[in-house]
Amino acid sequence: MARRDLSGAVDFTVLETMTGGMDDVTDEVLGLFAEQARMWSALLDASSEGWRDAVHTIRGAGAGIGAKTLAEVCAAVEHGEQAAAPAGLERVRTALDAALADVAAYRHELALRSLKG
């Protein structure tokens, strides 16, 4: 996977601006995002008491790296009705998967760039 595989789920200029274009810092932040996504995605279940906290955390982490759609979906689901949670959480998982795929492609590109020196 490389930059050509990006879907547009993440606007990496947001993160690049925040990190000053420093590839090592950008990669570290993306690694932290991926780790948070793994930890919090386990709570993306309407029967879990912490699902709103998980959605809130994913929302903030997504916004921080430029995953605007993920952040918007999370905002809607976080403030939605409990009865709509199962369908909403499925939308969160779908948006999160898209963002994670873009993150993987971008990190792969960063790794390739570092090999070229």
Side-chain angles (χ1 to χ4, degrees):
M1 209 181 269
R3 183 173 267 195
R4 67 183 175 274
D5 298 314
L6 295 177
S7 71
V10 179
D11 176 1
F12 290 101
T13 61
V14 171
L15 181 58
E16 291 166 349
T17 299
M18 182 180 75
T19 63
M22 298 174 61
D23 288 351
D24 56 337
V25 177
T26 299
D27 185 55
E28 183 177 350
V29 171
L30 292 175
L32 291 170
F33 172 79
E35 183 60 31
Q36 279 194 325
R38 276 189 288 281
M39 289 183 342
W40 288 96
S41 64
L43 294 175
L44 296 179
D45 182 324
S47 65
S48 169
E49 283 187 37
W51 72 262
R52 286 186 200 271
D53 292 333
V55 171
H56 178 79
T57 301
I58 292 168
R59 173 187 173 191
I65 65 162
K68 181 180 177 185
T69 299
L70 173 61
E72 289 171 349
V73 168
C74 286
V77 173
E78 178 183 3
H79 300 293
E81 297 293 325
Q82 177 69 29
L89 291 171
E90 185 60 35
R91 290 194 323 275
V92 169
R93 283 190 289 277
T94 298
L96 180 59
D97 287 347
L100 286 169
D102 270 15
V103 165
Y106 195 86
R107 291 185 80 196
H108 181 80
E109 183 70 24
L110 290 175
L112 290 174
R113 199 178 331 173
S114 73
L115 292 174
K116 293 178 184 176

